Amino acid sequence: MEQGAEDVPVVYLHEIKRQYTQGATTLTILNGAKLALWAGQSVALVAPSGAGKSTLLHIAGLLESPDDGEVYVGGTPTSGLSDIDRTQIRRTDIGFVYQSHRLLPEFSALENVMLPQMIRGLKRSETVKRATEILAYLGLGDRIKHRPAELSGGEQQRVAIARAVANAPRALLADEPTGNLDPNTADHVFGALMQLVKATRVAMLIATHNMELAGRMDRRVSLVDGEVVELD
Ligand code: ADP
């Protein structure tokens, strides 16, 4: 890591505003939301359904643009960047995990984890090596040839996590990643995420309804009237 890189947040959301207009109604979902995500820190985003958690994650992940405010990645403002540059940052600096695994069904676990690296332009042999290592690290060393349908829910979600970190992102954003799993499996998948934060110093933001899991993270925030508030 370059010198001083840990002095600035990996992702910083500044005064984010997001509204959705449907017909005559305008819903203000985010209204001046501010949040800093730091290297090596896990943050739980705990708020009721409809509060704007997914919206915040999508904006932090440059999947959606705010109506106002700025998203800084590694200290660089992103609003003025071209689509190509934003896509590049998304590919290299940000990993995303969804509630459902969204793996490609016709590809093996290994191929699913190789793909983001190949899109980034790495050599096939390198992607095989790295994908194999990450899957083994997440306890899936004997499942690499399996297709998603041949894996359990927890295994599928761990492959999705492996895919999200395949390009060694600086931020990992997860939208209810254990929401579809039974408590034991959720615990296992959550453990894998926490292990990654400590091992890779990725900055992690996880939207969750699970207060027990949130309690095991470094920091907890919520959304109240469109603003981020610190809990505890
Ligand atoms: P959460 O993840 O906390 O459940 P969301 O961010 O998904 O909340 O949604 C927040 C609110 O914004 C909800 O009321 C939802 O209906 C609305 N919303 C989200 N996306 C859109 C959209 N693309 N168009 C219109 N309304 C939306």
Side-chain angles (χ1 to χ4, degrees):
M1 182 165 302
E2 70 264 37
Q3 203 178 7
E6 297 218 351
D7 298 341
V8 292
V10 173
V11 174
Y12 179 52
L13 303 177
H14 182 68
E15 302 280 353
I16 299 296
K17 190 161 186 176
R18 186 72 173 109
Q19 297 182 314
Y20 293 116
T21 303
Q22 266 170 346
T25 321
T26 297
L27 282 173
T28 301
I29 306 303
L30 299 174
N31 197 11
K34 282 188 274 189
L35 178 65
L37 302 178
W38 297 93
Q41 188 183 61
S42 57
V43 181
L45 176 57
V46 190
S49 211
K53 300 184 296 298
S54 298
T55 303
L56 188 85
L57 283 167
H58 290 162
I59 288 172
L62 308 185
L63 294 164
E64 194 176 321
S65 293
D67 298 312
D68 202 2
E70 184 63 82
V71 182
Y72 296 84
V73 177
T76 305
T78 58
S79 62
L81 297 177
S82 66
D83 283 350
I84 291 173
D85 287 345
R86 285 164 64 87
T87 302
Q88 189 62 25
I89 291 176
R90 238 179 9 240
R91 277 184 192 152
T92 57
D93 290 341
I94 296 165
F96 219 100
V97 180
Y98 298 89
Q99 184 167 1
S100 64
H101 58 79
R102 300 196 186 188
L103 297 170
L104 297 173
E106 65 275 29
F107 290 105
S108 68
L110 185 72
E111 288 162 343
N112 268 282
V113 181
M114 286 166 61
L115 226 81
Q117 302 173 74
M118 294 181 77
I119 290 169
R120 197 184 159 190
L122 294 188
K123 279 207 304 236
R124 193 187 157 81
S125 56
E126 282 175 49
T127 69
V128 171
K129 183 167 178 286
R130 183 161 165 77
T132 306
E133 281 169 7
I134 300 168
L135 287 165
Y137 181 77
L138 291 172
L140 295 163
D142 54 355
R143 296 284 190 282
I144 63 172
K145 296 280 171 58
H146 291 229
R147 290 187 185 187
E150 298 160 347
L151 297 168
S152 71
E155 288 166 348
Q156 290 167 347
Q157 204 55 329
R158 276 184 285 147
V159 176
I161 292 168
R163 177 184 55 182
V165 298
N167 285 329
R170 296 197 287 168
L172 185 58
L173 310 171
D175 199 352
E176 312 242 10
T178 62
N180 284 339
L181 306 174
D182 66 73
N184 258 341
T185 311
D187 204 66
H188 202 60
V189 168
F190 180 77
L193 288 166
M194 292 304 105
Q195 189 183 333
L196 279 170
V197 178
K198 297 304 162 213
T200 68
R201 295 197 54 74
V202 71
M204 190 170 297
L205 179 63
I206 305 182
T208 181
H209 278 121
N210 188 324
M211 286 308 290
E212 196 266 319
L213 296 185
R216 286 158 54 189
M217 294 174 66
D218 296 321
R219 194 173 139 209
R220 284 147 291 283
V221 299
S222 188
L223 280 168
V224 178
D225 297 332
E227 291 190 51
V228 176
V229 296
E230 301 282 333
L231 301 178
D232 299 335

